[in-house]
Structure formats: C-alpha cells, structure tokens
Amino acid sequence: MPTTRSLRRSNPITLLLAALLTLGFLVFILSPSSAATARAKVKNASAAVHPLSPPTSPFRKQSPKAGARAPPPVVHYHLNNLTTSTSPVEGKETVLILTPLARFYQGYWDNLLKLSYPHELIALGFIIPKSRDGNAATAALQAEISKTQSGPEAKRFASITILRQDFDPPLQSQDEGERHKIENQKARRASMSRARNSLLFTILGPSTAWVLWLDSDIVETPPTLIQDLASHDKPIIVPNCFQRYYDNEQKAMSIRPYDFNSWIDSQTAQEIGAKMGYDDILLEGYKDMATYRTLMAYMKDDTGDDTRIQELDGVGGTALLVKAEVHRDGAMFPPFAFYHLIETEGFAKMANRLGWHSWGLPNYLVSL
C-alpha cells in the first residue's frame, strides 16, 4: 500500500534536513563576513581603549555590557623610560613631525615619504588655517594621506592628526613678499606661535621622544634627516635652510641663504633691545634693524663637513629637531615679546632659561 502524502511530509529525516538548512541559512545571513571581522580586529588592535591615550592612538568608547559601565582606567606612563639617543632607530624612539600648513606643496609630501626613519615610528601632525587656501590645502593633504595610508605598509605612518585653527590668520595673502614685510612680522609670527603651540599641546603624547618641526615648503632634505640630527645628541638642533632659485647671470639653478632666524647674539642687538619698549621685538634680516648678529645662514663653508656644529642663541623653525622633554619642561613658542624675541627665536631663549642649549649645523642643508 503506497504511503500517504501527509506521512511523506512528516518523515523525520525530511524534517531534520529542513531544520539544518534553515539553521545554516540563518547563520549565513546574520553572521558578519570574514572580511568585516578581520577589519574589526585590525580596528580594535590599533585603537586605544581608554580616554587618557595620546592622540596618536585614537580613543574609541567601549560598549557597556548588560548595562554596566567599565570603571575609568588608571594609566601609568614611565617618562623616565623614554630614550633620546644618538641611535634612535635602534632604540625604536618615536618621532612626532609637526607642520603648520597654510599651503600644500607636493614636494613636501614626496620628501616626507622619502625619509628613511621607520615610518611606523613616525606620527604626523598638521594645523591648517580656516581660509580658502586652508580648505584647498586640507583637501590636497587628505588626498595624499589616503593614498599613503592605504598603500605599502612600509610607507604608512603610525598616525596622522589634522587640526583646523580656531582663530583667523592675520594675513589673508600667503604671497612671500607680503609675508616678509617688516610691518607684518609681529602679527604674523605671533599667529604662527599660537598655531605651533596649539599643535604641540594637542598632539604631544607620553610616548613621544623627539619632535621635528618641518615647514610645509621644505621640499628637499637628506632621507636620513632625523637620524643625522639626532646623532649629535643635542636638545635643540637646526640645519641650515637654503632656497633654490634660477641665477640669471650664471644661467643655472643655484642656492641662496633663506632662514635668518638661526644666529649668535651680538652686543649691538642687546643694546637695541635695551632701548625698546616692553612689547617691541627684534627682527633679523632687515636693513632697518641692523643687529650685527652672526647668522648661521652665512656660516656655510666649502669643507663639506656636514657634522660641523655651532652653539646658537636663536633658531629658525624651517627644520628643527627638539627632544620632547624640552617641550615637556615648558619651552614653547611665545606669541608675545619674550626678551624682545618671538616665535622660534623666543623658543630658543625660553629653552635656554630652562637650561637647554640650541645648536646648528652650518653645512647640513635643507631647502625649499
């Protein structure tokens, strides 16, 4: 006698197979893909788990489980364990490169990628004005960051932070002639000091060993810039900045001194300062204010010895390597007249008052 249709439908084997198929379908639909899981693991591994983490490792809030909140963390950082040695690569010493950026120069980014210091030990920080030029610079920078951080791992940086200024720039024009007018210097450099301090105080983390200040128009440095500067084991050290230009007389490209803020003080400058008002500042490189300081820009010689070193009283900031402990001690960039000095020159004076000395390398060149 043939089996009835109702009995075939209720066969235990058929029901078991149907249950297994249904369960498998639900697991497939509801479970995350392996790629998504992998991305989540990478994201969690690279993220900080507590709000006291430095900005170089962004904090992600924990999801409370069963309505219970995790207790606030207690985090210990042993700053005495930080090293700033003559061999920073071997010591895996972290470097924070900070750049105030009003315009984006492709040569700057290309040069940054050529640095031979391990990129996994480098964090980048930028501060950009809230202006039309600033918006364009932000867009161009983010496009390059996206390409770099999604490219080969050896080229990726440990972290990148972009800040937008919360104050307006004193000069709307970034034209070189306008920026260097003597009447614009105090306001311009005070604004630059505020930008540098905002960048420094926001991003400097407890694991940072060195801070490299690098201007956005520096497009040519040796790939070993960080290692070379650090090898001198100085708290503050600056190379000589030159500008490339076309020499019409020689019909060829040449270089000329550019940064006049790295200098040895003079008696004349001190006497001028003694007669100045409380808020007046000394400026270098202007014929209307002849200080007769010894400028490192003119101390370059033909020996080719790029390790030659000279103690300085003032420093420029085009490329400036600073041990992070100098900043932690309180040395910042005064946006006001500090002993009649401002910005990077004021920083050198403030660091000196804290017991840190500044040094320069007359034959070690970087250029814009």
Side-chain angles (χ1 to χ4, degrees):
M1 181 178 178
T3 306
T4 65
R5 181 175 299 182
S6 60
L7 287 176
R8 288 200 302 268
R9 283 181 178 174
S10 58
N11 189 302
I13 296 176
T14 303
L15 294 175
L16 180 60
L17 289 174
L20 289 173
L21 286 172
T22 302
L23 181 61
F25 178 78
L26 290 174
V27 170
F28 176 80
I29 292 296
L30 297 178
S31 64
S33 67
S34 59
T37 303
R39 285 196 298 270
K41 287 182 179 178
V42 170
K43 183 177 179 181
N44 289 335
S46 63
V49 294
H50 54 76
L52 298 182
S53 295
T56 47
S57 187
F59 166 65
R60 293 188 175 91
K61 190 180 294 183
Q62 289 181 334
S63 299
K65 295 181 180 179
R69 293 180 58 131
V74 176
V75 185
H76 296 267
Y77 293 106
H78 298 282
L79 296 181
N80 286 334
N81 294 338
L82 276 179
T83 62
T84 48
S85 67
T86 58
S87 303
V89 175
E90 287 76 2
K92 298 188 181 300
E93 296 165 7
T94 56
V95 179
L96 176 61
I97 300 180
L98 298 179
T99 298
L101 190 144
R103 283 182 178 176
F104 178 80
Y105 295 93
Q106 186 63 46
Y108 162 86
W109 188 261
D110 293 341
N111 184 72
L112 204 62
L113 294 179
K114 293 175 185 175
L115 292 178
S116 62
Y117 200 83
H119 287 198
E120 68 266 20
L121 297 176
I122 296 177
L124 305 180
F126 302 91
I127 187 165
I128 306 175
K130 51 177 185 178
S131 63
R132 180 175 297 179
D133 284 345
N135 293 339
T138 302
L141 175 63
Q142 289 184 151
E144 291 302 318
I145 288 173
S146 178
K147 286 191 287 186
T148 299
Q149 297 300 88
S150 61
E153 285 196 24
K155 292 289 185 182
R156 298 178 192 175
F157 296 100
S159 72
I160 301 176
T161 304
I162 300 175
L163 306 181
R164 296 302 298 269
Q165 285 180 194
D166 56 354
F167 54 90
D168 294 320
L171 301 178
Q172 294 304 313
S173 172
Q174 288 300 312
D175 176 73
E176 187 171 341
E178 190 68 23
R179 286 191 296 120
H180 291 291
K181 285 182 178 178
I182 190 169
E183 61 268 24
N184 291 334
Q185 290 314 293
K186 186 176 181 181
R188 185 184 75 84
R189 297 193 68 188
S191 177
M192 195 66 161
S193 294
R194 292 179 64 191
R196 288 186 188 276
N197 291 333
S198 294
L199 191 55
L200 174 68
F201 298 153
T202 304
I203 302 181
L204 182 68
S207 63
T208 303
W210 300 89
V211 177
L212 175 64
W213 293 95
L214 194 64
D215 276 3
S216 63
D217 51 2
I218 297 297
V219 298
E220 187 177 356
T221 70
T224 53
L225 175 68
I226 295 172
Q227 298 95 309
D228 294 342
L229 298 184
S231 69
H232 292 274
D233 195 25
K234 300 299 183 184
I236 303 165
I237 190 166
V238 60
N240 212 348
C241 181
F242 276 66
Q243 183 182 45
R244 291 196 178 277
Y245 75 105
Y246 185 78
D247 189 330
N248 288 314
E249 292 184 2
Q250 300 295 326
K251 304 299 181 184
M253 293 299 294
S254 185
I255 59 172
R256 58 191 172 198
Y258 181 79
D259 191 349
F260 300 121
N261 294 332
S262 298
W263 40 258
I264 301 170
D265 209 359
S266 68
Q267 185 64 34
T268 301
Q270 293 178 27
E271 290 172 356
I272 295 173
K275 298 174 184 177
M276 282 183 157
Y278 183 77
D279 290 323
D280 294 335
I281 61 170
L282 286 161
L283 296 169
E284 202 53 64
Y286 296 91
K287 62 182 180 180
D288 296 333
M289 192 180 290
T291 63
Y292 298 101
R293 289 165 170 158
T294 302
L295 306 182
M296 189 175 75
Y298 296 117
M299 292 172 64
K300 177 182 176 295
D301 59 36
D302 296 325
T303 63
D305 180 12
D306 61 8
T307 64
R308 176 178 154 230
I309 195 165
Q310 172 67 54
E311 188 168 1
L312 301 172
D313 297 304
V315 296
T318 50
L320 175 67
L321 186 68
V322 182
K323 290 186 177 182
E325 60 184 316
V326 176
H327 285 310
R328 290 193 185 98
D329 270 4
M332 41 77 86
F333 301 90
F336 50 85
F338 183 76
Y339 291 86
H340 303 295
L341 302 172
I342 200 169
E343 206 216 347
T344 57
E345 295 159 294
F347 161 73
K349 183 68 174 181
M350 190 176 293
N352 184 269
R353 295 281 295 169
L354 288 165
W356 303 102
H357 294 271
S358 300
W359 300 81
L361 301 173
N363 291 330
Y364 192 101
L365 304 185
V366 300
S367 67
L368 46 81

Short mmCIF file of all heavy atoms in Angstrom, two decimals, residues 186 189 263 265-284 289 291 293 313-314 332-355:
data_model
loop_
_atom_site.label_atom_id
_atom_site.label_comp_id
_atom_site.label_asym_id
_atom_site.label_seq_id
_atom_site.Cartn_x
_atom_site.Cartn_y
_atom_site.Cartn_z
N LYS A 186 55.38 91.07 13.45
CA LYS A 186 54.94 90.76 14.81
C LYS A 186 53.62 90.01 14.81
O LYS A 186 53.46 88.97 15.48
CB LYS A 186 54.85 92.03 15.66
CG LYS A 186 54.53 91.72 17.12
CD LYS A 186 54.54 92.97 17.98
CE LYS A 186 54.23 92.61 19.44
NZ LYS A 186 54.20 93.82 20.30
N ARG A 189 54.07 86.43 13.10
CA ARG A 189 54.81 85.45 13.89
C ARG A 189 54.11 85.14 15.22
O ARG A 189 54.25 84.03 15.75
CB ARG A 189 56.24 85.93 14.11
CG ARG A 189 57.00 86.06 12.78
CD ARG A 189 58.47 86.23 12.97
NE ARG A 189 59.08 85.02 13.51
CZ ARG A 189 60.34 84.95 13.92
NH1 ARG A 189 61.11 86.03 13.87
NH2 ARG A 189 60.83 83.82 14.38
N TRP A 263 70.97 82.22 14.79
CA TRP A 263 72.05 83.20 14.94
C TRP A 263 72.74 83.12 16.31
O TRP A 263 72.23 82.49 17.25
CB TRP A 263 71.53 84.62 14.74
CG TRP A 263 70.18 84.94 15.35
CD1 TRP A 263 68.99 85.01 14.69
CD2 TRP A 263 69.87 85.23 16.73
NE1 TRP A 263 67.96 85.33 15.56
CE2 TRP A 263 68.49 85.48 16.82
CE3 TRP A 263 70.64 85.30 17.89
CZ2 TRP A 263 67.85 85.79 18.02
CZ3 TRP A 263 70.00 85.60 19.09
CH2 TRP A 263 68.62 85.84 19.15
N ASP A 265 74.04 85.74 19.15
CA ASP A 265 73.67 87.11 19.54
C ASP A 265 74.88 88.05 19.50
O ASP A 265 76.03 87.63 19.54
CB ASP A 265 73.06 87.10 20.94
CG ASP A 265 72.05 88.23 21.14
OD1 ASP A 265 71.86 89.03 20.18
OD2 ASP A 265 71.47 88.32 22.22
N SER A 266 74.57 89.36 19.44
CA SER A 266 75.61 90.38 19.38
C SER A 266 75.36 91.44 20.46
O SER A 266 74.23 91.60 20.95
CB SER A 266 75.63 91.06 18.01
OG SER A 266 74.44 91.83 17.83
N GLN A 267 76.41 92.15 20.79
CA GLN A 267 76.28 93.25 21.75
C GLN A 267 75.35 94.33 21.21
O GLN A 267 74.56 94.92 21.95
CB GLN A 267 77.66 93.84 22.06
CG GLN A 267 77.66 94.92 23.14
CD GLN A 267 77.23 94.39 24.50
OE1 GLN A 267 77.51 93.25 24.84
NE2 GLN A 267 76.52 95.23 25.26
N THR A 268 75.44 94.56 19.89
CA THR A 268 74.58 95.58 19.26
C THR A 268 73.12 95.24 19.43
O THR A 268 72.29 96.10 19.77
CB THR A 268 74.92 95.70 17.76
OG1 THR A 268 76.29 96.05 17.60
CG2 THR A 268 74.05 96.75 17.09
N ALA A 269 72.75 93.97 19.19
CA ALA A 269 71.35 93.54 19.33
C ALA A 269 70.88 93.71 20.76
O ALA A 269 69.74 94.15 21.01
CB ALA A 269 71.20 92.09 18.89
N GLN A 270 71.73 93.40 21.71
CA GLN A 270 71.35 93.54 23.12
C GLN A 270 71.15 95.02 23.48
O GLN A 270 70.24 95.35 24.26
CB GLN A 270 72.42 92.90 23.99
CG GLN A 270 72.50 91.39 23.84
CD GLN A 270 73.61 90.77 24.68
OE1 GLN A 270 74.00 91.30 25.70
NE2 GLN A 270 74.12 89.64 24.22
N GLU A 271 71.96 95.89 22.92
CA GLU A 271 71.82 97.32 23.20
C GLU A 271 70.55 97.88 22.57
O GLU A 271 69.86 98.71 23.18
CB GLU A 271 73.05 98.07 22.67
CG GLU A 271 74.32 97.77 23.48
CD GLU A 271 75.56 98.37 22.83
OE1 GLU A 271 75.43 98.95 21.71
OE2 GLU A 271 76.65 98.24 23.41
N ILE A 272 70.22 97.41 21.36
CA ILE A 272 68.97 97.83 20.73
C ILE A 272 67.78 97.37 21.57
O ILE A 272 66.83 98.13 21.81
CB ILE A 272 68.86 97.27 19.29
CG1 ILE A 272 69.95 97.87 18.39
CG2 ILE A 272 67.48 97.54 18.71
CD1 ILE A 272 70.02 97.23 17.01
N GLY A 273 67.83 96.12 22.01
CA GLY A 273 66.74 95.59 22.83
C GLY A 273 66.57 96.34 24.13
O GLY A 273 65.44 96.53 24.61
N ALA A 274 67.68 96.78 24.72
CA ALA A 274 67.61 97.50 26.00
C ALA A 274 66.87 98.84 25.86
O ALA A 274 66.31 99.36 26.84
CB ALA A 274 69.01 97.73 26.53
N LYS A 275 66.84 99.39 24.66
CA LYS A 275 66.17 100.68 24.43
C LYS A 275 64.74 100.51 23.92
O LYS A 275 64.04 101.51 23.73
CB LYS A 275 66.97 101.49 23.41
CG LYS A 275 68.39 101.83 23.87
CD LYS A 275 69.17 102.51 22.76
CE LYS A 275 70.62 102.77 23.19
NZ LYS A 275 71.41 103.35 22.07
N MET A 276 64.32 99.28 23.70
CA MET A 276 62.99 99.02 23.14
C MET A 276 61.90 99.09 24.19
O MET A 276 62.15 98.94 25.39
CB MET A 276 62.95 97.64 22.47
CG MET A 276 63.60 97.58 21.11
SD MET A 276 63.43 95.92 20.38
CE MET A 276 63.61 96.33 18.64
N GLY A 277 60.68 99.28 23.71
CA GLY A 277 59.53 99.21 24.58
C GLY A 277 59.25 97.78 25.01
O GLY A 277 59.77 96.83 24.41
N TYR A 278 58.41 97.62 26.00
CA TYR A 278 58.15 96.32 26.61
C TYR A 278 57.66 95.30 25.58
O TYR A 278 58.03 94.12 25.63
CB TYR A 278 57.12 96.49 27.73
CG TYR A 278 56.80 95.23 28.49
CD1 TYR A 278 57.67 94.72 29.44
CD2 TYR A 278 55.61 94.53 28.24
CE1 TYR A 278 57.39 93.56 30.15
CE2 TYR A 278 55.30 93.37 28.95
CZ TYR A 278 56.20 92.89 29.89
OH TYR A 278 55.91 91.75 30.57
N ASP A 279 56.83 95.73 24.63
CA ASP A 279 56.22 94.81 23.67
C ASP A 279 56.90 94.81 22.31
O ASP A 279 56.41 94.17 21.37
CB ASP A 279 54.73 95.15 23.48
CG ASP A 279 53.91 94.81 24.71
OD1 ASP A 279 54.21 93.79 25.34
OD2 ASP A 279 52.99 95.58 25.04
N ASP A 280 58.03 95.49 22.18
CA ASP A 280 58.72 95.53 20.89
C ASP A 280 59.59 94.29 20.70
O ASP A 280 60.08 93.71 21.68
CB ASP A 280 59.60 96.78 20.80
CG ASP A 280 58.77 98.07 20.77
OD1 ASP A 280 57.60 97.99 20.35
OD2 ASP A 280 59.29 99.12 21.18
N ILE A 281 59.78 93.91 19.45
CA ILE A 281 60.58 92.71 19.16
C ILE A 281 61.73 93.05 18.21
O ILE A 281 61.63 93.94 17.36
CB ILE A 281 59.72 91.58 18.55
CG1 ILE A 281 59.09 92.00 17.23
CG2 ILE A 281 58.68 91.11 19.54
CD1 ILE A 281 58.43 90.87 16.45
N LEU A 282 62.81 92.30 18.37
CA LEU A 282 63.94 92.37 17.45
C LEU A 282 63.68 91.44 16.28
O LEU A 282 63.16 90.32 16.45
CB LEU A 282 65.22 91.94 18.16
CG LEU A 282 65.83 92.94 19.16
CD1 LEU A 282 66.77 92.22 20.11
CD2 LEU A 282 66.57 94.05 18.40
N LEU A 283 64.03 91.89 15.08
CA LEU A 283 63.85 91.08 13.88
C LEU A 283 65.17 90.96 13.16
O LEU A 283 66.02 91.86 13.22
CB LEU A 283 62.80 91.71 12.96
CG LEU A 283 61.38 91.79 13.53
CD1 LEU A 283 60.51 92.67 12.66
CD2 LEU A 283 60.77 90.40 13.66
N GLU A 284 65.33 89.85 12.47
CA GLU A 284 66.59 89.60 11.78
C GLU A 284 66.38 89.61 10.28
O GLU A 284 65.33 89.19 9.78
CB GLU A 284 67.17 88.25 12.22
CG GLU A 284 68.65 88.12 12.00
CD GLU A 284 69.44 89.27 12.61
OE1 GLU A 284 69.41 89.41 13.84
OE2 GLU A 284 70.06 90.02 11.83
N MET A 289 66.90 97.35 10.71
CA MET A 289 67.19 96.91 12.07
C MET A 289 68.48 96.08 12.04
O MET A 289 68.46 94.86 12.13
CB MET A 289 66.03 96.09 12.64
CG MET A 289 66.11 95.82 14.13
SD MET A 289 64.69 94.85 14.74
CE MET A 289 63.36 96.04 14.61
N THR A 291 71.33 94.35 13.42
CA THR A 291 71.69 93.80 14.74
C THR A 291 73.15 93.34 14.79
O THR A 291 73.69 93.14 15.88
CB THR A 291 70.80 92.60 15.09
OG1 THR A 291 71.03 91.57 14.12
CG2 THR A 291 69.32 92.99 15.06
N ARG A 293 74.24 90.48 14.33
CA ARG A 293 74.38 89.13 14.85
C ARG A 293 75.13 88.27 13.82
O ARG A 293 75.15 88.57 12.62
CB ARG A 293 73.00 88.50 15.10
CG ARG A 293 72.24 89.10 16.29
CD ARG A 293 70.80 88.68 16.21
NE ARG A 293 70.04 89.00 17.42
CZ ARG A 293 68.72 89.12 17.44
NH1 ARG A 293 68.02 88.94 16.32
NH2 ARG A 293 68.10 89.41 18.56
N ASP A 313 72.15 81.13 19.73
CA ASP A 313 71.26 81.80 20.68
C ASP A 313 69.82 81.88 20.16
O ASP A 313 68.88 81.97 20.93
CB ASP A 313 71.78 83.21 20.98
CG ASP A 313 73.14 83.20 21.65
OD1 ASP A 313 73.26 82.55 22.71
OD2 ASP A 313 74.08 83.80 21.11
N GLY A 314 69.68 81.87 18.83
CA GLY A 314 68.35 81.88 18.22
C GLY A 314 68.27 80.78 17.18
O GLY A 314 69.28 80.40 16.59
N MET A 332 58.02 76.69 25.00
CA MET A 332 57.03 76.82 23.93
C MET A 332 57.41 78.01 23.05
O MET A 332 58.51 78.56 23.17
CB MET A 332 55.61 76.97 24.53
CG MET A 332 55.51 77.88 25.74
SD MET A 332 55.55 79.65 25.41
CE MET A 332 53.82 79.94 25.09
N PHE A 333 56.51 78.37 22.16
CA PHE A 333 56.77 79.45 21.22
C PHE A 333 56.01 80.69 21.67
O PHE A 333 54.78 80.76 21.47
CB PHE A 333 56.37 79.02 19.81
CG PHE A 333 57.09 77.79 19.33
CD1 PHE A 333 56.56 76.53 19.55
CD2 PHE A 333 58.31 77.89 18.69
CE1 PHE A 333 57.22 75.39 19.13
CE2 PHE A 333 58.99 76.76 18.27
CZ PHE A 333 58.45 75.51 18.49
N PRO A 334 56.68 81.66 22.28
CA PRO A 334 55.95 82.81 22.82
C PRO A 334 55.29 83.64 21.72
O PRO A 334 55.97 84.07 20.78
CB PRO A 334 57.04 83.61 23.54
CG PRO A 334 58.32 83.16 22.93
CD PRO A 334 58.12 81.75 22.53
N PRO A 335 53.98 83.87 21.81
CA PRO A 335 53.29 84.72 20.84
C PRO A 335 53.35 86.19 21.26
O PRO A 335 52.60 87.02 20.75
CB PRO A 335 51.86 84.19 20.87
CG PRO A 335 51.68 83.67 22.26
CD PRO A 335 53.04 83.19 22.71
N PHE A 336 54.23 86.48 22.18
CA PHE A 336 54.41 87.83 22.72
C PHE A 336 55.91 88.12 22.79
O PHE A 336 56.74 87.22 22.55
CB PHE A 336 53.80 87.92 24.12
CG PHE A 336 54.23 86.81 25.03
CD1 PHE A 336 55.42 86.88 25.75
CD2 PHE A 336 53.47 85.65 25.15
CE1 PHE A 336 55.85 85.83 26.56
CE2 PHE A 336 53.89 84.59 25.97
CZ PHE A 336 55.08 84.69 26.67
N ALA A 337 56.27 89.34 23.08
CA ALA A 337 57.68 89.70 23.17
C ALA A 337 58.28 89.07 24.43
O ALA A 337 57.90 89.40 25.55
CB ALA A 337 57.83 91.21 23.21
N PHE A 338 59.21 88.14 24.23
CA PHE A 338 59.90 87.47 25.32
C PHE A 338 61.38 87.85 25.21
O PHE A 338 62.07 87.36 24.34
CB PHE A 338 59.71 85.95 25.22
CG PHE A 338 60.33 85.17 26.34
CD1 PHE A 338 59.74 85.13 27.60
CD2 PHE A 338 61.49 84.45 26.14
CE1 PHE A 338 60.30 84.40 28.63
CE2 PHE A 338 62.07 83.71 27.17
CZ PHE A 338 61.48 83.70 28.42
N TYR A 339 61.82 88.74 26.09
CA TYR A 339 63.16 89.33 25.96
C TYR A 339 63.33 89.92 24.56
O TYR A 339 64.38 89.81 23.94
CB TYR A 339 64.25 88.29 26.25
CG TYR A 339 64.31 87.86 27.70
CD1 TYR A 339 63.50 86.83 28.18
CD2 TYR A 339 65.18 88.47 28.60
CE1 TYR A 339 63.55 86.43 29.50
CE2 TYR A 339 65.24 88.08 29.93
CZ TYR A 339 64.43 87.06 30.37
OH TYR A 339 64.47 86.67 31.69
N HIS A 340 62.25 90.52 24.04
CA HIS A 340 62.21 91.15 22.71
C HIS A 340 62.37 90.14 21.57
O HIS A 340 62.77 90.50 20.47
CB HIS A 340 63.26 92.27 22.60
CG HIS A 340 63.10 93.32 23.65
ND1 HIS A 340 62.00 94.15 23.72
CD2 HIS A 340 63.90 93.65 24.71
CE1 HIS A 340 62.12 94.96 24.76
NE2 HIS A 340 63.26 94.67 25.39
N LEU A 341 62.05 88.89 21.85
CA LEU A 341 62.09 87.84 20.83
C LEU A 341 60.71 87.19 20.75
O LEU A 341 59.92 87.23 21.71
CB LEU A 341 63.14 86.79 21.18
CG LEU A 341 64.58 87.31 21.33
CD1 LEU A 341 65.49 86.20 21.86
CD2 LEU A 341 65.10 87.85 20.01
N ILE A 342 60.43 86.56 19.62
CA ILE A 342 59.11 85.95 19.41
C ILE A 342 59.26 84.65 18.63
O ILE A 342 60.29 84.40 18.00
CB ILE A 342 58.18 86.95 18.66
CG1 ILE A 342 56.70 86.59 18.83
CG2 ILE A 342 58.56 87.04 17.17
CD1 ILE A 342 55.74 87.68 18.34
N GLU A 343 58.29 83.80 18.71
CA GLU A 343 58.19 82.54 17.99
C GLU A 343 59.42 81.67 18.20
O GLU A 343 59.81 81.42 19.33
CB GLU A 343 57.91 82.80 16.50
CG GLU A 343 57.19 81.63 15.83
CD GLU A 343 57.65 81.42 14.40
OE1 GLU A 343 58.33 82.28 13.81
OE2 GLU A 343 57.31 80.36 13.86
N THR A 344 60.08 81.20 17.11
CA THR A 344 61.17 80.22 17.28
C THR A 344 62.37 80.82 18.00
O THR A 344 63.04 80.14 18.79
CB THR A 344 61.62 79.66 15.92
OG1 THR A 344 62.01 80.74 15.07
CG2 THR A 344 60.50 78.87 15.26
N GLU A 345 62.65 82.11 17.75
CA GLU A 345 63.77 82.76 18.45
C GLU A 345 63.45 82.90 19.94
O GLU A 345 64.31 82.71 20.79
CB GLU A 345 64.06 84.12 17.82
CG GLU A 345 64.54 84.01 16.38
CD GLU A 345 64.35 85.30 15.61
OE1 GLU A 345 63.16 85.69 15.40
OE2 GLU A 345 65.35 85.93 15.23
N GLY A 346 62.19 83.21 20.23
CA GLY A 346 61.75 83.26 21.62
C GLY A 346 61.78 81.89 22.27
O GLY A 346 62.09 81.76 23.46
N PHE A 347 61.47 80.85 21.48
CA PHE A 347 61.55 79.48 21.99
C PHE A 347 62.96 79.14 22.43
O PHE A 347 63.18 78.56 23.50
CB PHE A 347 61.08 78.50 20.91
CG PHE A 347 61.53 77.08 21.13
CD1 PHE A 347 60.97 76.29 22.12
CD2 PHE A 347 62.54 76.54 20.34
CE1 PHE A 347 61.40 74.98 22.32
CE2 PHE A 347 62.98 75.24 20.53
CZ PHE A 347 62.41 74.46 21.53
N ALA A 348 63.96 79.50 21.60
CA ALA A 348 65.35 79.22 21.95
C ALA A 348 65.74 79.93 23.24
O ALA A 348 66.45 79.37 24.09
CB ALA A 348 66.27 79.63 20.80
N LYS A 349 65.27 81.17 23.39
CA LYS A 349 65.57 81.94 24.60
C LYS A 349 64.91 81.30 25.82
O LYS A 349 65.52 81.17 26.88
CB LYS A 349 65.10 83.38 24.44
CG LYS A 349 65.41 84.29 25.62
CD LYS A 349 66.90 84.53 25.75
CE LYS A 349 67.22 85.55 26.83
NZ LYS A 349 68.67 85.81 26.96
N MET A 350 63.65 80.89 25.66
CA MET A 350 62.93 80.26 26.77
C MET A 350 63.58 78.94 27.16
O MET A 350 63.74 78.64 28.35
CB MET A 350 61.46 80.04 26.39
CG MET A 350 60.58 79.63 27.54
SD MET A 350 58.83 79.48 27.08
CE MET A 350 58.43 81.20 26.73
N ALA A 351 63.97 78.15 26.16
CA ALA A 351 64.64 76.88 26.44
C ALA A 351 65.95 77.12 27.17
O ALA A 351 66.30 76.39 28.11
CB ALA A 351 64.88 76.12 25.13
N ASN A 352 66.67 78.15 26.76
CA ASN A 352 67.93 78.49 27.41
C ASN A 352 67.72 78.85 28.87
O ASN A 352 68.51 78.45 29.74
CB ASN A 352 68.61 79.63 26.66
CG ASN A 352 69.98 79.96 27.24
OD1 ASN A 352 70.11 80.79 28.11
ND2 ASN A 352 71.01 79.29 26.73
N ARG A 353 66.65 79.57 29.15
CA ARG A 353 66.32 79.93 30.54
C ARG A 353 65.98 78.69 31.36
O ARG A 353 66.14 78.68 32.58
CB ARG A 353 65.14 80.90 30.57
CG ARG A 353 65.41 82.26 29.94
CD ARG A 353 66.19 83.16 30.86
NE ARG A 353 65.40 83.50 32.05
CZ ARG A 353 65.90 84.10 33.13
NH1 ARG A 353 67.18 84.39 33.18
NH2 ARG A 353 65.12 84.38 34.15
N LEU A 354 65.54 77.62 30.69
CA LEU A 354 65.23 76.36 31.36
C LEU A 354 66.44 75.43 31.43
O LEU A 354 66.34 74.33 31.97
CB LEU A 354 64.08 75.65 30.62
CG LEU A 354 62.69 76.29 30.76
CD1 LEU A 354 61.74 75.73 29.72
CD2 LEU A 354 62.14 76.06 32.16
N GLY A 355 67.56 75.89 30.87
CA GLY A 355 68.78 75.09 30.95
C GLY A 355 69.09 74.27 29.71
O GLY A 355 70.02 73.45 29.73
#
